[in-house]
Amino acid sequence: MKDERGYSPRRGVSILYGGLGLRFILLVLVIGCFPRRPGFSPVRGGPVGGVGHYRELDVGDFDGDGNPDIAAGSTLPGGIFLWMADGAGGWRRWGPLTAMGEVHGLAVGDLDGDGLDDVVASAWGAVEGEGIWVWLNGGYGTWTPVDKPTDFGRYENIRLADIDLDGNVDIVAANATSEEEGGVQVWLGDGAGRWTVQVGPFYTGVFRDVAVADFNRDGNPDIAASGWGPGLGVRVWLGDGRGGWTSGIDPTRDGRYWGIVAEDFNGDGNPDIAVGSYLRGVRVWLGDGKGGWRRGKSPTQDGSFWRIVAPDIDGDGSPDLLAGSLDGEGIRFWLNDGHGGWKEVRGKFPSHGTYYGIVPSDLNGDGRVDLAAISYEEGVKVWFILGTRRPEKAAEGSARRPVFSWRPRTEVMGNKVYTEVSGIPEYLVGPRDVLEIVLWEGATERRSTVTVQDDGTISYWFLEDIKVDGLTIRQVDSLLTERLQEFVQFPRINVTVKEYRSKKVLLLGAVNVKMGAGGPGVYFLKGKTTLLDLLMKVGGPAPNADLENVRVTRGNRSFRVNLYDAMFKGDMSQNIVLDAGDRIVVPELPEAGQGIYVFGEVRSPGLYPFTRDMDLLTALSKAGGYTDNAALKSVVIFRGDLSRPRAVTVNVDRLLKEGDLGQNLPLRRGDIVFVPRTFVGDMNMFFSKMRTLSDFLFYPLDLYIRGRTLYIIAGGG
């Protein structure tokens, strides 16, 4: 018969003692020591992006319907792809916005205050596509590309935040170009999708990610950045709320780090930092609210992790951690105990695969935080979180905007140096120019020289303080002729520029010195002058000049110019017209890391200079050809960066015997060509044993190739 009596504490104890015994009581007591968590269960959503090579994603409202849409950056073929949400957990595809280089960083936000989210992205690869792109959302599926904050540089990730507290969205980006041209850069927005000024805070070293928070609790946004290499580690800069910076206390100057996120992990009200590292797990530093740091508990001290986010997945009020594994272990997930302690939870998210972008957001409008992520080879995936109804705040950096490809044009109507009159360029006079004025009195000429003063005026004969700044020579001639009529009947004069001193440019880098002159230095412009005009006049590029990546800084903007295409392909859009104040840098081709490595069964393995249009056969011939032991059917080309290396197998035997030119692949700067001794039958297995290309680069190459790689191909572990 069913017992209808109600439950009481005394009756409950008697049941426990009489039934399950003391061990059950102890189990209940132990469980009671841990905070109770609401149950939750991720449920895989329907397909979004399908299969594709994506690197980063973000969430925003692109069509103004209130539902969170998804933007993803592609590395192959490149560009931004959009999916519009239907409000019930489904998506339809828009896009792409444009095709450019490989998209590495992506951020979504309302840049111009029209209520529609815009897109900001960073691109790698193509010279004309590098830098940071911005697209403004015009609604109804229309996008307008606007001025890019910068036309060169390889930025790994982007965040949007109001850095100068003016109510407009600004851009913060981690620069991974090189040790010499890296750092963290900030561009201030004007609220209309334009960028008024670039305000630092740092310009050297390779950085992978940035986070924005008020670390010293002064009410101003600060920046933390994850660095890659010795002396960088995790860096902090404290903002003054106006775009100025002071160096803060750095949590660490040691290690190589990728993703970074700022949240309050230990519940003390101060922002903390969690960072994904290379080979050293996920590191946590706890902030003291004054800009100081102490080491917190690490969720794991092993493994390599790319992006890291900190949403409250289980709804207990404390930020948890999710990180994309670069070791093929999927998305790792740790619950926060509310005091900065961590417990890993398995089985909720994929335990296999490589994931890059991860964004927490309420994707189906049910008030629960959900998750969107991208796998490099499996496209965009979505998980809806069931079981907790704590509304999640908007994911950090979830607002961004559109992109525009600025290409300098040669058909310029004028600038600060010259103007075109009836299609003819004429020089504009400026301060410190020296003018020669010839006045004819009958058959006698009176020749005088005058210097334009800093206020743009000259004095000549009976005339005082004549404003000539910004006038052409013909206009100066006409002005003086008119004024001299007060003193001379039918004056005849002629004005020329004797010394050009007002319009100058700075030329630096790999430039030849021509007969004791020329070379790097300051040069004065004498009228409409293109970059090639100047370069050839001063001695031409040095033999080691990197003509594909000439950098020009004009005011607060910088862009990259491909002079190689201008010189050898006739692309005159790259031969820009110079303006006063331009700073031009012709970089040198790096000796290491940017050539072509050829190793294995070749007669002269080593590093060889990269030249345009270099192909596989050219590289092999530079290395002296292959040996008798070479397995020509499985030559391997390694390509890619540290986070996503790729391997391509080429059948050189078929190229040589059958004339299959499709096997003669064009090479890129930095490629590694390996000619094995033994046939490589399973490239996936071979490459997984190689771990990542970062292993390749952190060892001396000759030692690595001859030791580890040959051992692997021969069947070693």
Side-chain angles (χ1 to χ4, degrees), residues 68 92 121 123 374 383 413 415 505 537 574 578 673:
R92 58 188 175 88
I374 48 174
W383 292 268
M413 299 305 294
N415 54 26
V505 296
K537 177 181 178 180
Q574 298 295 318
L578 297 176
V673 178

Side-chain angles (χ1 to χ4, degrees), residues 595-608:
I596 297 294
Y597 300 93
V598 185
F599 287 97
E601 292 301 320
V602 292
R603 301 190 186 281
S604 301
L607 173 64
Y608 293 91

Side-chain angles (χ1 to χ4, degrees), residues 46 202 209 407 417 451 463 475 493 509 527 560 597 615 624 635:
F202 201 63
D209 198 6
R407 287 178 64 87
V417 179
T451 300
L463 306 176
Q475 290 171 331
I493 67 170
R560 183 189 302 266
Y597 300 93
D615 53 32
V635 174

Side-chain angles (χ1 to χ4, degrees), residues 53-73:
H53 296 80
Y54 298 100
R55 184 65 170 262
E56 192 56 84
L57 84 165
D58 207 346
V59 173
D61 185 5
F62 300 125
D63 53 4
D65 64 354
N67 297 318
D69 308 313
I70 293 176

Side-chain angles (χ1 to χ4, degrees), residues 38-54:
F40 68 96
S41 177
V43 175
R44 176 73 184 274
V48 180
V51 175
H53 296 80
Y54 298 100

Side-chain angles (χ1 to χ4, degrees), residues 676-680 686 689 707-717:
R677 177 189 294 265
T678 304
F679 175 73
V680 179
F686 167 73
K689 290 183 179 181
R708 177 176 172 79
T709 309
L710 293 179
Y711 174 68
I712 290 174
I713 293 179

Side-chain angles (χ1 to χ4, degrees), residues 91-113:
W91 283 268
R92 58 188 175 88
R93 179 169 166 174
W94 279 10
L97 292 184
T98 187
M100 44 184 182
E102 297 183 359
V103 176
H104 279 235
L106 177 68
V108 173
D110 186 1
L111 302 182
D112 55 2

Side-chain angles (χ1 to χ4, degrees), residues 127-128 407-410 530-532 547 560-576 612:
V127 171
E128 65 274 12
R407 287 178 64 87
R409 301 177 300 166
T410 56
T530 67
L531 181 52
L532 279 180
L547 294 176
R560 183 189 302 266
V561 177
N562 188 339
L563 276 188
Y564 182 93
D565 284 356
M567 295 173 66
F568 301 108
K569 294 187 176 182
D571 183 3
M572 288 298 104
S573 69
Q574 298 295 318
N575 186 24
I576 66 169
R612 293 279 298 196

